[in-house]
């Protein structure tokens, strides 16, 4: 199956996403226009500062963190093309919906911890990897079963055994990597779960 990797009319979604991450990194880490800590996901602050649900996916710990997530955008574009995506807006819609879905999953997890263990986690999370893992989860299921529509709009994803094998490997290695220090295991797992749920709607 030949894949056309040239820039297409639908690639503005990926370019826009990557550009926004790069611009925020320049503003926060290079020229330091503002402190990126005001953008982090911090559970105890979300009720008063709900903007952090969205802004936290735009900031990164360092250049390596940013580059790995830019690579994730490139990889997900490749898989979407291999699966035959037919949508001009799927990527951006997925990002917006997934941000809130990830937050909901983490909120449920924190409520369970606080109710059963009387423990409320205190941490800060940042980065686009939760979205990338959600896309991996969504595309993994699509590679098995196909997916014709998303939120009522045609996307025409076809099952694909080769993509399925690659995504199973990536997801497995990614979850193993998530156990390393300073990597958000919760963010990656909640992303995968969100991707699975979004596939079902």
């Amino acid at each position: 199956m030949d894949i056309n990797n040239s820039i297409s009319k639908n690639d503005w979604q990926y370019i826009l996403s990557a550009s926004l991450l790069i611009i925020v990194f320049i503003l926060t880490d290079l020229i330091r226009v503002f402190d990126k800590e005001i953008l982090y996901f911090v559970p105890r602050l979300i009720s008063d500062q709900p903007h952090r649900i969205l802004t936290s996916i735009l900031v990164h710990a360092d250049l390596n963190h940013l580059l790995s997530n830019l690579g994730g955008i490139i990889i997900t574009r490749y898989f979407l093309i291999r699966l035959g995506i037919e949508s001009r807006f799927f990527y951006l819609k997925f990002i917006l919906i997934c941000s809130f879905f990830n937050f909901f999953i983490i909120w449920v997890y924190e409520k369970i911890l606080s109710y059963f263990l009387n423990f409320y986690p205190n941490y800060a999370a940042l980065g686009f990897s939760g979205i990338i893992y959600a896309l991996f989860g969504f595309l993994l299921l699509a590679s098995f079963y196909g997916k014709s529509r998303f939120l009522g709009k045609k996307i025409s994803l076809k099952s694909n055994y080769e993509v399925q094998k690659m995504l199973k490997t990536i997801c497995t290695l990614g979850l193993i990597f998530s156990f390393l220090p300073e990597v958000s295991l919760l963010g990656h797992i909640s992303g995968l779960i969100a991707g699975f749920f979004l596939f079902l709607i």
Side-chain angles (χ1 to χ4, degrees):
M1 179 179 179
D2 292 330
I3 300 298
N4 183 3
N5 282 314
S6 61
I7 300 294
S8 76
K9 65 181 181 180
N10 298 331
D11 280 346
W12 66 273
Q13 301 172 89
Y14 315 106
I15 294 169
L16 177 63
S17 303
S19 298
L20 193 54
L21 299 185
I22 292 168
I23 289 168
V24 171
F25 183 80
I26 291 170
L27 293 175
T28 56
D29 288 64
L30 298 184
I31 60 178
R32 301 181 189 278
V33 173
F34 51 88
D35 188 345
K36 64 184 176 184
E37 289 188 10
I38 65 173
L39 306 178
Y40 290 175
F41 179 91
V42 181
R44 61 187 171 78
L45 300 177
I46 287 297
S47 58
D48 295 323
Q49 300 173 18
H51 67 272
R52 291 175 180 265
I53 294 171
L54 285 174
T55 59
S56 61
I57 68 174
L58 303 176
V59 289
H60 291 84
D62 53 36
L63 182 59
N64 287 334
H65 191 199
L66 172 66
L67 292 176
S68 67
N69 284 328
L70 292 176
I73 292 175
I74 294 169
I75 292 169
T76 52
R77 173 195 179 268
Y78 170 77
F79 286 138
L80 282 164
I81 292 172
R82 288 289 303 267
L83 295 174
I85 185 72
E86 292 182 18
S87 173
R88 295 190 63 191
F89 301 101
F90 167 78
Y91 204 79
L92 292 184
K93 283 196 296 187
F94 189 94
I95 290 169
L96 289 173
I97 294 165
C98 186
S99 298
F100 290 96
F101 216 92
N102 274 357
F103 162 71
F104 176 73
I105 293 168
I106 292 171
W107 178 81
V108 169
Y109 161 77
E110 290 167 352
K111 289 299 179 186
I112 291 171
L113 282 183
S114 62
Y115 183 80
F116 290 104
L117 301 176
N118 198 27
F119 172 73
Y120 195 78
N122 183 26
Y123 65 92
L126 67 162
F128 201 70
S129 56
I131 303 294
I132 298 296
Y133 275 81
L135 280 158
F136 285 163
F138 184 96
L139 295 175
L140 178 60
L141 292 184
S143 70
F144 275 93
Y145 307 109
K147 179 74 170 171
S148 60
R149 305 183 78 82
F150 180 69
L151 299 179
K153 299 294 183 181
K154 182 179 177 181
I155 58 174
S156 300
L157 298 180
K158 310 289 191 299
S159 60
N160 185 305
Y161 182 65
E162 291 301 318
V163 170
Q164 181 190 130
K165 288 195 300 184
M166 288 187 280
L167 276 167
K168 283 193 289 189
T169 301
I170 288 172
C171 289
T172 302
L173 293 176
L175 287 177
I176 293 170
F177 169 77
S178 299
F179 285 94
L180 293 176
E182 299 184 6
V183 178
S184 176
L185 175 63
L186 176 60
H188 292 175
I189 290 177
S190 68
L192 269 178
I193 294 171
F196 293 154
F197 272 108
L198 289 173
F199 177 82
L200 299 175
I201 65 175

